[in-house]
Amino acid sequence: MSATAAQVQRKTLPGFRLTMGFTLLYLVLIVIVPLSGLFGKTKALGLGELVASLSQPRVLAAFKLSLGAAIVAAIIDSVAGLLIAWVLVRYTFFGKRIIEALIDIPLALPTAVAGIALTTAYSENGVIGRHFAAHGIQVAFTQLGVTVALVFVGLPFAVRAVQPVLADIEIELEEAASSLGATRGQIFRRVTFPLVLPAIVSGGAQAFARAVGEYGSVVFISGNMPMKTEIVPLLIVTKLEQYDYAGATALAATMLLLSLGMLILLHRLQGAIQVGGHP
């Protein structure tokens, strides 16, 4: 980039001090202060009270379900997101624009509406659920139903993270590998997959972050049975309705720390992949 082009680029927006000041102000007002307030309320609890609140069997079961289902949903979304992004990028077909729009519906649809729709479809008499019920598999009001709802809300993140990366990959690289005698499987494993792997990890991390705190789409299809299908966000709401603000705050802060820890771990993994030689 020439010096003139660099100067024009720097002058496109206001100077560093103004833009950095706006960035810090936004983070302080929207992110740092609210989260600090949450940790401040948690700190007011005694250590014994905090441990007692988090060690209850009902709480542990809710954490196990929320985190376990979110991880499984993120893995499913990562695989499905790669396949869907591949179809949208590599092929031209009738109805492609419709599919593009359908992928983003979970982002625009109210979560309560999504929950009602999923419950209706996957109930024993639903359009999809009756086929599972015929083989003795119940989806709605089970942990499987929770996972289905989390897959639904996280899929757009997995697709949109991989799609632009696939679009930027030069087809000539795959054609060159093919001309050297590589099979389709070898081309995918050694050429394409390493290039999109960081995007897959990023999309999976975003899907997990979206799923771990999901409430509206899960509350209907889960059945909300304590020790079985109750998720942490619902338990937090339950404690608030019972005026147990200390217990709700402890759960919220713990959920936040676990989510942040998982995101940091996934981002470090993504960085390690990039340092290892993958773009």
Side-chain angles (χ1 to χ4, degrees), residues 64-77 118 122 139-155 211 214 217-218 221-222 229 231:
K64 181 179 178 180
L65 175 59
S66 294
L67 295 176
I71 292 174
V72 172
I75 294 173
I76 296 174
D77 283 333
L118 290 171
Y122 283 94
V139 179
F141 315 123
T142 65
Q143 295 183 3
L144 178 58
V146 174
T147 304
V148 169
L150 298 185
V151 169
F152 174 82
V153 299
L155 182 61
E214 177 61 20
S217 62
V218 180
I221 197 172
S222 67
T229 62
I231 58 175

Coordinates of all heavy atoms in Angstrom, one line a residue, residues 64-77 118 122 139-155 211 214 217-218 221-222 229 231:
K64 N -24.8 -29.6 34.1 CA -24.4 -30.7 33.3 C -25.1 -30.7 32.0 O -24.6 -30.9 30.9 CB -24.6 -32.0 34.0 CG -24.1 -33.2 33.3 CD -24.4 -34.5 34.1 CE -24.0 -35.8 33.3 NZ -24.2 -37.0 34.1
L65 N -26.4 -30.5 32.1 CA -27.3 -30.5 30.9 C -27.0 -29.3 30.0 O -26.8 -29.5 28.7 CB -28.8 -30.5 31.2 CG -29.7 -30.4 30.1 CD1 -29.5 -31.5 29.1 CD2 -31.2 -30.3 30.6
S66 N -26.9 -28.1 30.5 CA -26.6 -26.9 29.7 C -25.3 -27.0 29.0 O -25.2 -26.7 27.8 CB -26.7 -25.7 30.6 OG -28.0 -25.5 31.2
L67 N -24.3 -27.3 29.7 CA -22.9 -27.3 29.1 C -22.8 -28.5 28.2 O -22.2 -28.4 27.1 CB -21.9 -27.4 30.2 CG -21.8 -26.1 31.0 CD1 -20.7 -26.3 32.1 CD2 -21.4 -24.9 30.2
G68 N -23.3 -29.7 28.6 CA -23.2 -30.9 27.7 C -23.9 -30.7 26.4 O -23.4 -31.0 25.4
A69 N -25.2 -30.3 26.5 CA -26.0 -30.1 25.3 C -25.4 -29.0 24.4 O -25.4 -29.1 23.2 CB -27.4 -29.8 25.7
A70 N -24.8 -27.9 25.0 CA -24.3 -26.9 24.2 C -23.0 -27.4 23.4 O -22.8 -27.0 22.3 CB -23.9 -25.7 25.1
I71 N -22.2 -28.2 24.1 CA -21.0 -28.8 23.4 C -21.4 -29.7 22.3 O -20.9 -29.6 21.2 CB -20.1 -29.5 24.4 CG1 -19.5 -28.5 25.4 CG2 -19.0 -30.3 23.7 CD1 -18.8 -29.2 26.6
V72 N -22.4 -30.6 22.5 CA -22.8 -31.5 21.5 C -23.5 -30.7 20.3 O -23.2 -31.0 19.1 CB -23.9 -32.5 22.0 CG1 -24.5 -33.3 20.9 CG2 -23.2 -33.4 23.1
A73 N -24.3 -29.7 20.6 CA -24.9 -28.9 19.6 C -23.8 -28.1 18.8 O -23.9 -28.0 17.6 CB -25.9 -27.9 20.2
A74 N -22.8 -27.6 19.4 CA -21.7 -26.9 18.7 C -21.0 -27.8 17.8 O -20.6 -27.4 16.6 CB -20.8 -26.3 19.7
I75 N -20.7 -29.0 18.2 CA -20.1 -30.0 17.3 C -20.9 -30.3 16.1 O -20.5 -30.3 14.9 CB -19.8 -31.3 18.1 CG1 -18.7 -31.0 19.2 CG2 -19.2 -32.4 17.1 CD1 -18.4 -32.2 20.1
I76 N -22.2 -30.6 16.3 CA -23.2 -30.8 15.2 C -23.2 -29.6 14.3 O -23.2 -29.8 13.0 CB -24.6 -31.2 15.8 CG1 -24.5 -32.5 16.6 CG2 -25.6 -31.3 14.6 CD1 -25.8 -32.8 17.3
D77 N -23.3 -28.5 14.8 CA -23.4 -27.2 14.0 C -22.1 -27.0 13.2 O -22.2 -26.6 12.1 CB -23.7 -26.0 14.9 CG -25.1 -25.9 15.3 OD1 -26.0 -26.4 14.6 OD2 -25.3 -25.3 16.4
L118 N -40.6 -25.8 17.4 CA -39.8 -27.0 17.6 C -40.6 -28.0 18.4 O -40.6 -29.2 18.1 CB -38.5 -26.7 18.2 CG -37.5 -25.9 17.4 CD1 -36.3 -25.5 18.3 CD2 -37.0 -26.8 16.2
Y122 N -41.6 -31.7 17.0 CA -40.9 -32.8 17.5 C -41.7 -33.5 18.6 O -41.2 -34.5 19.2 CB -39.6 -32.4 18.0 CG -38.5 -32.2 16.9 CD1 -38.3 -30.9 16.4 CD2 -37.8 -33.3 16.4 CE1 -37.4 -30.7 15.4 CE2 -36.9 -33.1 15.4 CZ -36.7 -31.8 14.9 OH -35.8 -31.6 13.9
V139 N -38.4 -37.1 21.4 CA -37.6 -36.0 21.3 C -38.0 -34.8 22.2 O -37.2 -34.4 23.0 CB -37.5 -35.5 19.8 CG1 -36.6 -34.3 19.7 CG2 -37.1 -36.6 18.9
A140 N -39.2 -34.4 22.0 CA -39.7 -33.3 22.9 C -39.8 -33.7 24.3 O -40.1 -34.9 24.6 CB -41.1 -32.8 22.4
F141 N -39.5 -32.8 25.2 CA -39.5 -33.0 26.6 C -38.5 -34.0 27.1 O -38.7 -34.6 28.1 CB -40.9 -33.4 27.1 CG -42.0 -32.7 26.5 CD1 -43.0 -33.3 25.7 CD2 -42.1 -31.3 26.6 CE1 -44.1 -32.6 25.1 CE2 -43.1 -30.5 26.0 CZ -44.1 -31.2 25.3
T142 N -37.4 -34.0 26.4 CA -36.2 -34.8 26.8 C -34.9 -34.0 26.6 O -35.0 -32.9 26.0 CB -36.1 -36.1 26.0 OG1 -35.9 -35.8 24.6 CG2 -37.4 -36.9 26.1
Q143 N -33.8 -34.6 27.0 CA -32.5 -33.9 26.8 C -32.2 -33.9 25.3 O -31.5 -32.9 24.9 CB -31.4 -34.7 27.5 CG -31.6 -34.6 29.0 CD -30.5 -35.3 29.8 OE1 -29.5 -35.8 29.2 NE2 -30.5 -35.3 31.1
L144 N -32.7 -34.8 24.5 CA -32.5 -34.8 23.1 C -33.2 -33.5 22.5 O -32.7 -32.9 21.6 CB -33.1 -36.1 22.4 CG -33.0 -36.1 20.9 CD1 -31.6 -36.0 20.4 CD2 -33.6 -37.5 20.4
G145 N -34.4 -33.2 23.0 CA -35.1 -32.0 22.5 C -34.3 -30.8 22.9 O -34.3 -29.8 22.0
V146 N -33.7 -30.7 24.0 CA -32.9 -29.6 24.4 C -31.7 -29.4 23.4 O -31.5 -28.3 22.9 CB -32.3 -29.7 25.8 CG1 -31.3 -28.6 26.1 CG2 -33.4 -29.7 26.8
T147 N -31.1 -30.5 23.0 CA -30.0 -30.4 22.0 C -30.5 -30.0 20.7 O -29.8 -29.2 20.0 CB -29.3 -31.8 21.9 OG1 -28.9 -32.3 23.2 CG2 -28.1 -31.8 21.0
V148 N -31.7 -30.5 20.3 CA -32.2 -30.0 19.0 C -32.4 -28.5 18.9 O -32.1 -27.8 18.0 CB -33.6 -30.8 18.7 CG1 -34.3 -30.1 17.5 CG2 -33.3 -32.2 18.4
A149 N -33.0 -28.0 20.0 CA -33.2 -26.5 20.1 C -31.9 -25.8 20.0 O -31.8 -24.7 19.4 CB -34.0 -26.2 21.4
L150 N -30.9 -26.3 20.7 CA -29.6 -25.6 20.7 C -28.9 -25.7 19.3 O -28.2 -24.7 18.9 CB -28.7 -26.1 21.8 CG -29.2 -26.0 23.2 CD1 -28.1 -26.5 24.2 CD2 -29.6 -24.5 23.5
V151 N -29.1 -26.8 18.6 CA -28.6 -26.9 17.3 C -29.2 -25.9 16.4 O -28.6 -25.2 15.5 CB -28.8 -28.3 16.7 CG1 -28.5 -28.4 15.2 CG2 -27.9 -29.3 17.5
F152 N -30.5 -25.7 16.6 CA -31.3 -24.7 15.8 C -30.8 -23.3 15.9 O -30.6 -22.6 14.9 CB -32.8 -24.8 16.2 CG -33.7 -23.8 15.5 CD1 -34.2 -24.0 14.3 CD2 -34.0 -22.6 16.2 CE1 -35.0 -23.0 13.7 CE2 -34.8 -21.7 15.6 CZ -35.3 -21.9 14.4
V153 N -30.5 -22.9 17.1 CA -30.2 -21.5 17.4 C -28.7 -21.2 17.0 O -28.3 -20.1 16.7 CB -30.4 -21.1 18.8 CG1 -31.9 -21.2 19.1 CG2 -29.6 -21.9 19.8
G154 N -27.9 -22.3 17.0 CA -26.4 -22.1 16.7 C -26.0 -22.3 15.3 O -24.9 -21.8 14.9
L155 N -26.8 -22.9 14.5 CA -26.5 -23.2 13.1 C -26.0 -22.0 12.3 O -25.0 -22.0 11.5 CB -27.6 -23.9 12.4 CG -27.3 -24.4 11.0 CD1 -26.1 -25.3 10.9 CD2 -28.5 -25.0 10.3
A211 N -25.5 -21.1 22.4 CA -26.4 -22.2 22.9 C -26.3 -22.3 24.4 O -27.3 -22.6 25.1 CB -25.9 -23.5 22.4
E214 N -28.9 -20.0 26.0 CA -30.3 -20.0 25.4 C -31.4 -20.3 26.4 O -31.2 -21.2 27.2 CB -30.3 -21.0 24.2 CG -31.6 -21.1 23.5 CD -32.1 -19.8 22.9 OE1 -31.2 -18.9 22.6 OE2 -33.3 -19.6 22.6
S217 N -36.0 -20.7 23.3 CA -36.4 -21.8 22.4 C -36.3 -23.2 23.1 O -36.8 -24.2 22.6 CB -35.4 -21.8 21.2 OG -34.1 -22.0 21.6
V218 N -35.6 -23.2 24.3 CA -35.5 -24.5 25.1 C -36.6 -24.7 26.1 O -36.9 -25.8 26.4 CB -34.1 -24.5 25.8 CG1 -33.9 -25.7 26.5 CG2 -33.0 -24.3 24.7
I221 N -39.6 -26.9 24.7 CA -39.3 -28.3 24.2 C -38.7 -29.1 25.3 O -38.7 -30.3 25.2 CB -38.4 -28.2 22.9 CG1 -38.5 -29.6 22.2 CG2 -37.0 -27.9 23.3 CD1 -37.8 -29.6 20.9
S222 N -38.1 -28.5 26.3 CA -37.4 -29.3 27.4 C -38.4 -30.0 28.3 O -38.1 -31.0 28.9 CB -36.4 -28.4 28.1 OG -37.1 -27.4 28.9
T229 N -34.5 -32.3 32.7 CA -34.4 -31.4 31.5 C -34.4 -30.0 31.8 O -34.8 -29.1 31.0 CB -35.6 -31.7 30.6 OG1 -36.9 -31.4 31.3 CG2 -35.6 -33.2 30.1
I231 N -32.6 -26.5 32.4 CA -31.3 -25.9 32.1 C -31.0 -24.7 33.1 O -31.9 -24.3 33.8 CB -31.4 -25.3 30.6 CG1 -32.5 -24.3 30.5 CG2 -31.5 -26.4 29.6 CD1 -32.6 -23.6 29.2

